[in-house]
Amino acid sequence: MEDSQPGTTQSSTVFEETQNTTVVAYPAPPPPRSVLRLALYPVTLKFEEVVYKVKKGGSGGWMIGGGARGKEEKTILNGITGMVCPGEILAMLGPSGSGKTTLLTALGGRLPTRSSGKQLLSGKISYNGQPFSGSIKRRTGFVAQDDVLYPHLTVRETLVFAALLRLPSTLSPLEKREHAERVIEELGLRRCRNSMIGGPLLRGISGGEKKRVSIGQEMLLDPSLLLLDEPTSGLDSTTAQRILRTVKRLASGGRTVVTTIHQPSSRLYHMFDKLVLLSSDGYPIYHGPASVAMDYFSSIGFPTSVTVNPADLLLDLANGIAPESIYSRDEGEFEGGTEEEHKSVREALISAYDRNIATRLKTQLCNLDVNNYGGYAKEASSFAGKMEQWNTSWWEQFKVLLRRGLKERRHEAFNRLRIFQVVSVATLAGLLWWHTPTSHIQDRIALLFFFSVFWGFFPLYNAVFTFPQERSMLIKERSSGMYRLSSYFLARTAGDLPMELALPTAFVFIIYWMGGLKPDPATFILSLLVLLYSVLVSQSLGLAIGAILMDVKQATTLASVTTLVFLIAGGYYVQQIPPFIVWFKYLSYSYYCFKLLLGVQFGEDDYYECSKGVMCRVVDFPTVKSVGLNHLWIDVCIMALMLLGYRLLAYLALHRVQPR
């Protein structure tokens, strides 16, 4: 019997292998050349007896690992075994909840293996006979079901920035850009290359084009192993076929492709080389060539006498619904059978799998020698030893991330609404405090407190949203090893500085002179610097709250409570705070900002007209007296500690957002 090539195997030949226990290797033939260069290190992927378990939490939801003792345990994957070679497409088919995405995530090395001392993932997954490693991770492309893309970047910008981050430093920036352009051409994205990606509130490219952009991000590295989770989900039949045709062409270059798919059309189904079918409870019921799956199920007692989409029949079987129970009754009378009937069908399929496929498959995996594939394993091992941990330097990552962040948020940061908000508040406040005379010391102090409060809270609420909104993007890109967390953190926070500092500067320029504050240039500059200093501290606290909670609603609630406490303890509303709670004000950066602004505006020897013809010292005014005008440099140092401490806390909190 002749060995057959993946994707072109004759049905009769493969079916003979299914019926018998003859071990037949599936060597990867020399793939035809395509527009993209050939994969240099093809990967043969094997997975044996893969089992994955989770525990049920007290609220009824399933959670990974730990939890209270005695909670119910559920097995998501029940001993899945399979293999896929270079040049092949392996499709994982099954009903919702069967564990397709979990298995794909495990193959990509993105599932936790242990939690609370318990092993979650068991079994053996090997890549050219080697376990998962950093070098394999960098040769693996993972396309998630949801397209996680920046909405305000164009297609070209998205792929160019990804190329600058992911391609090795041995290539020049120009070569990286040219490579991104070649990927755009190969994926048929030339027509929309200058169009924005778009999002829920922004019109952009189509769903099929977004999916191709997601694939393109992974294709930049020319991966040896490409994993796709539901690449055709939500797409019409024509677009789905175009996507899968692209994937087929990529596989023909010697890549190993594994994809999950929910309910493919018959046209899509016949494009797969191999198929893994999972039952609704996570057991394997078929592994082999997709072209003979129908013949296999007919041979074990589940034939169909009508023409039907193979995927529809397979999904019915995976749910425990036998073909004759569907087509032997009128459509109006069929109710899908009882749960006992479904369970009986599934047990029969699992038993047939163990009897006809499992033994042959395990024998085949044991006898497979990856050295038969042109020494790929040896080359890949040598290549892994030469790979650096990061493709680019820290400084290059920082520069690219900063440029990308400025481009992405140029519409958000400098939008007309925020500018109008700040300018209108400054103008209204300037009119309310219009040329406040020096004798109205209460009003002048109130204006300074308004400075500290408005710019103590406005940046905080903006910063709270920063990391929760980018959580999915951070997980995706760090899982791909695109950059260091430190370079991302500094680039992300530095990219917000232009707008965070420009708006308060414009605010001070408007309200300072309208409010009649001390018209000395040095005093004006010091007041501006104090305010900008407070803005940075406020932003730091917002970043820390957002990074710790990583949930917009919870972070906003905590920020509201925090700002309320800081407002009350800021030294303006309450001067005689009870001793047991007076320490609250020392936690408030608004208190220190207010004190510094008072220290800049007033001196120890300043006087004001407290009554007609009577001059009083400013330092004796109740509000100023309670806050004090001494030890201002200590207050500057305390705010510096807050600035660094909050940002360090935010950075450490981001480490909990583990890449998958």
Side-chain angles (χ1 to χ4, degrees):
M1 182 171 55
E2 296 181 354
D3 292 346
S4 56
Q5 294 183 356
T8 60
T9 308
Q10 297 298 321
S11 299
S12 59
T13 303
V14 180
F15 182 57
E16 183 180 350
E17 295 170 6
T18 304
Q19 294 290 78
N20 302 308
T21 57
T22 305
V23 177
V24 179
Y26 288 86
R33 291 185 176 270
S34 62
V35 176
L36 290 179
R37 63 186 177 87
L38 298 180
L40 296 179
Y41 303 97
V43 170
T44 297
L45 171 63
K46 297 194 301 181
F47 45 101
E48 304 173 53
E49 295 296 331
V50 176
V51 176
Y52 189 72
K53 299 180 180 181
V54 295
K55 280 188 176 181
K56 187 176 182 180
S59 60
W62 294 101
M63 61 184 183
I64 296 174
R69 294 182 180 178
K71 296 297 182 182
E72 183 182 354
E73 187 176 74
K74 180 179 180 181
T75 303
I76 304 297
L77 300 174
N78 290 276
I80 314 297
T81 300
M83 178 187 68
V84 55
C85 301
E88 293 180 337
I89 298 180
L90 171 68
M92 295 190 292
L93 189 65
S96 299
S98 60
K100 303 186 300 295
T101 298
T102 303
L103 178 57
L104 188 78
T105 308
L107 297 181
R110 301 188 178 203
L111 273 186
T113 57
R114 293 181 179 274
S115 177
S116 303
K118 177 179 176 61
Q119 187 170 0
L120 303 175
L121 180 66
S122 60
K124 181 181 179 182
I125 303 176
S126 62
Y127 312 78
N128 288 343
Q130 303 296 320
F132 188 80
S133 61
S135 59
I136 292 295
K137 179 179 180 179
R138 297 184 191 284
R139 301 299 298 174
T140 300
F142 192 98
V143 181
Q145 180 176 354
D146 297 325
D147 299 311
V148 183
L149 302 167
Y150 283 114
H152 291 100
L153 294 181
T154 65
V155 171
R156 181 179 180 276
E157 289 170 343
T158 299
L159 293 177
V160 166
F161 282 127
L164 292 173
L165 287 169
R166 302 191 70 176
L167 294 179
S169 55
T170 53
L171 298 176
S172 68
L174 179 60
E175 289 174 322
K176 293 180 181 181
R177 292 175 186 274
E178 290 175 349
H179 184 63
E181 294 289 351
R182 287 195 296 270
V183 171
I184 289 174
E185 293 288 339
E186 173 66 12
L187 295 178
L189 295 170
R190 183 176 182 181
R191 182 178 61 85
C192 62
R193 63 195 298 273
N194 294 317
S195 300
M196 283 191 180
I197 298 295
L201 302 178
L202 178 66
R203 183 175 180 138
I205 59 179
S206 67
E209 289 167 337
K210 286 182 182 178
K211 183 60 65 177
R212 276 182 279 166
V213 172
S214 297
I215 295 174
Q217 285 185 313
E218 303 303 322
M219 288 312 305
L220 288 168
L221 274 180
D222 199 18
S224 301
L225 176 62
L226 183 60
L227 308 174
L228 304 103
D229 188 13
E230 302 276 7
T232 61
S233 177
L235 304 179
D236 61 85
S237 178
T238 303
T239 304
Q241 187 180 21
R242 186 179 298 120
I243 293 290
L244 205 56
R245 191 183 299 119
T246 300
V247 174
K248 187 79 171 177
R249 186 167 63 251
L250 296 175
S252 69
R255 299 170 185 83
T256 304
V257 179
V258 182
T259 180
T260 65
I261 197 156
H262 181 62
Q263 195 162 10
S265 66
S266 57
R267 291 189 300 177
L268 298 185
Y269 178 85
H270 291 295
M271 298 175 73
F272 302 136
D273 299 310
K274 285 183 177 178
L275 179 71
V276 169
L277 181 61
L278 303 179
S279 68
S280 57
D281 44 7
Y283 283 93
I285 56 178
Y286 180 75
H287 178 283
S291 57
V292 296
M294 298 284 283
D295 294 336
Y296 165 74
F297 287 107
S298 295
S299 70
I300 62 173
F302 295 96
T304 178
S305 57
V306 298
T307 303
V308 65
N309 178 4
D312 292 339
L313 175 66
L314 297 179
L315 286 173
D316 288 334
L317 288 169
N319 281 300
I321 304 174
E324 64 273 11
S325 66
I326 300 176
Y327 300 108
S328 61
R329 312 183 191 186
D330 293 335
E331 183 177 354
E333 299 176 358
F334 175 61
E335 297 180 355
T338 65
E339 182 57 35
E340 290 76 12
E341 293 174 348
H342 295 170
K343 184 177 180 181
S344 175
V345 170
R346 287 196 298 267
E347 289 176 351
L349 292 171
I350 295 170
S351 176
Y353 176 88
D354 293 336
R355 191 170 57 251
N356 299 315
I357 297 179
T359 304
R360 172 188 58 81
L361 186 58
K362 291 177 183 178
T363 305
Q364 182 177 337
L365 291 176
C366 291
N367 292 343
L368 178 66
D369 185 355
V370 293
N371 290 325
N372 290 337
Y373 298 94
Y376 293 150
K378 189 175 181 180
E379 291 183 57
S381 177
S382 174
F383 171 75
K386 299 177 182 178
M387 288 192 68
E388 298 180 1
Q389 184 178 5
W390 303 103
N391 291 325
T392 52
S393 66
W394 186 97
W395 179 243
E396 285 297 322
Q397 292 174 6
F398 174 79
K399 289 192 299 182
V400 173
L401 290 170
L402 180 60
R403 285 168 47 207
R404 187 181 72 173
L406 291 175
K407 277 184 173 290
E408 162 60 21
R409 294 188 296 280
R410 63 187 183 271
H411 303 281
E412 171 191 341
F414 292 93
N415 64 65
R416 297 177 181 177
L417 184 60
R418 289 188 66 188
I419 295 174
F420 172 77
Q421 182 181 9
V422 171
V423 172
S424 60
V425 169
T427 304
L428 179 59
L431 293 174
L432 290 174
W433 274 282
W434 181 261
H435 290 178
T436 305
T438 55
S439 58
H440 294 186
I441 189 69
Q442 178 67 37
D443 290 346
R444 294 168 71 88
I445 291 174
L447 177 58
L448 295 177
F449 186 70
F450 175 70
F451 271 42
S452 65
V453 168
F454 185 80
W455 288 107
F457 302 155
F458 187 76
L460 185 147
Y461 283 102
N462 288 330
V464 155
F465 295 90
T466 299
F467 294 125
Q469 288 180 338
E470 294 204 354
R471 183 176 184 272
S472 56
M473 181 65 73
L474 180 61
I475 292 175
K476 170 193 169 184
E477 294 185 335
R478 290 202 65 214
S479 297
S480 301
M482 289 179 66
Y483 46 72
R484 301 166 177 85
L485 181 61
S486 57
S487 60
Y488 163 80
F489 180 79
L490 290 180
R492 183 64 180 85
T493 53
D496 289 335
L497 291 181
M499 193 61 178
E500 293 295 340
L501 299 182
L503 285 179
T505 301
F507 181 90
V508 173
F509 267 96
I510 294 173
I511 198 175
Y512 189 92
W513 307 108
M514 293 178 69
L517 294 174
K518 195 171 182 179
D520 179 48
T523 304
F524 168 77
I525 293 175
L526 286 176
S527 300
L528 175 61
L529 292 177
V530 168
L531 194 65
L532 296 180
Y533 194 23
S534 177
V535 165
L536 294 177
V537 177
S538 173
Q539 184 194 40
S540 302
L541 178 59
L543 292 173
I545 292 175
I548 291 172
L549 298 179
M550 275 298 176
D551 180 88
V552 172
K553 290 184 178 180
Q554 294 181 13
T556 305
T557 301
L558 180 59
S560 301
V561 175
T562 304
T563 53
L564 180 62
V565 172
F566 286 178
L567 177 65
I568 297 173
Y572 180 78
Y573 290 112
V574 185
Q575 281 89 46
Q576 300 299 325
I577 303 178
F580 66 88
I581 204 174
V582 71
W583 54 271
F584 260 166
K585 69 179 182 181
Y586 298 114
L587 302 178
S588 170
Y589 56 83
S590 298
Y591 165 78
Y592 296 107
C593 177
F594 180 46
K595 182 178 179 180
L596 290 173
L597 288 173
L598 289 175
V600 169
Q601 287 290 322
F602 306 110
E604 296 282 348
D605 300 326
D606 286 350
Y607 290 83
Y608 71 99
E609 189 176 6
C610 52
S611 61
K612 190 173 182 180
V614 179
M615 304 299 292
C616 300
R617 297 178 65 195
V618 172
V619 293
D620 293 329
F621 189 79
T623 302
V624 178
K625 187 175 182 179
S626 68
V627 174
L629 298 180
N630 51 356
H631 307 302
L632 296 183
W633 280 109
I634 295 179
D635 300 326
V636 171
C637 295
I638 292 175
M639 290 187 70
L641 290 176
M642 288 183 174
L643 174 64
L644 297 176
Y646 288 147
R647 291 187 181 254
L648 179 60
L649 185 61
Y651 175 71
L652 295 177
L654 286 181
H655 276 283
R656 296 184 302 111
V657 184
Q658 292 295 330
R660 296 172 184 170

